[in-house]
Amino acid sequence: MELLNDDADGSKPTAEYIQDQWQTNLPGVKVTLKTLPYKSRLELNASGDFQAQLTRWGPDYQDPSTFIDLFKTGSSYNMMDYSNPTFDDLLVKASVDEATKPADRWNTYIEAEKQLIKEDAASAPLYQNAVASLENAKLKNYERFPYASTMLKYVYLEK
């Protein structure tokens, strides 16, 4: 099988690791890497011209839907055309029926994630990015947003 990846930082070594693990742990599987410039990989992604792909997604907001809604049937980001009525029904249940019931909504998203990853093996999350930082105690008006850019317009150092 062919694993599509790009030349962005970290992508090629990650693809090589996946290639090694699949070939080592799945007897008879041969994986060929197709490493392209990022823009070229995105073009193949958009056309659906790949067997398996190493890609990444950064959340837009702090909610599970920023990731899981990518796989809804018909989503413009669902480049692999994954479709499962059970999964779609769970997303509707979480976003509509349980919109005002946070605990139930959370548990329904867990069910949907199990369907997507464990049952259908449509996606295989590998890691999350993280940032470690030190903060000067004199820094004022600084707000840390885990899923968004930090605004520095009103930040200052106290004298």
Side-chain angles (χ1 to χ4, degrees):
M1 81 179 308
E2 184 178 83
L3 177 61
L4 177 62
N5 69 100
D6 60 56
D7 58 2
D9 288 347
S11 184
K12 190 164 192 263
T14 303
E16 290 169 347
Y17 176 78
I18 292 168
Q19 177 188 39
D20 175 67
Q21 290 301 301
W22 285 355
Q23 290 180 163
T24 300
N25 295 296
L26 301 171
V29 170
K30 171 80 172 113
V31 179
T32 304
L33 298 181
K34 185 171 188 174
T35 304
L36 300 173
Y38 178 71
K39 191 173 182 178
S40 298
R41 182 192 57 84
L42 289 181
E43 289 170 5
L44 289 181
N45 178 45
S47 69
D49 190 12
F50 59 90
Q51 291 180 321
Q53 176 179 194
L54 178 61
T55 188
R56 58 198 165 279
W57 182 259
D60 301 315
Y61 48 90
Q62 192 169 349
D63 189 83
S65 64
T66 193
F67 289 106
I68 205 156
D69 284 358
L70 299 172
F71 299 96
K72 274 193 287 196
T73 300
S75 166
S76 60
Y77 294 103
N78 185 354
M79 303 302 178
M80 62 185 205
D81 291 328
Y82 169 76
S83 183
N84 181 314
T86 301
F87 176 81
D88 291 341
D89 289 345
L90 288 167
L91 295 188
V92 169
K93 180 180 175 186
S95 64
V96 176
D97 303 340
E98 299 169 344
T100 59
K101 301 172 188 167
D104 293 342
R105 182 176 178 268
W106 183 263
N107 288 326
T108 299
Y109 274 131
I110 290 172
E111 282 182 64
E113 182 182 61
K114 285 179 182 175
Q115 182 67 53
L116 176 75
I117 296 169
K118 188 176 181 183
E119 300 300 323
D120 296 344
S123 181
L126 298 176
Y127 61 87
Q128 302 184 99
N129 286 337
V131 176
S133 62
L134 295 174
E135 191 174 307
N136 187 325
K138 295 180 180 181
L139 189 65
K140 301 300 174 193
N141 288 341
Y142 177 75
E143 289 187 63
R144 185 181 318 275
F145 300 101
Y147 297 102
S149 299
T150 300
M151 299 293 291
L152 299 175
K153 184 175 182 178
Y154 301 107
V155 174
Y156 65 95
L157 282 176
E158 188 178 63
K159 292 184 180 184

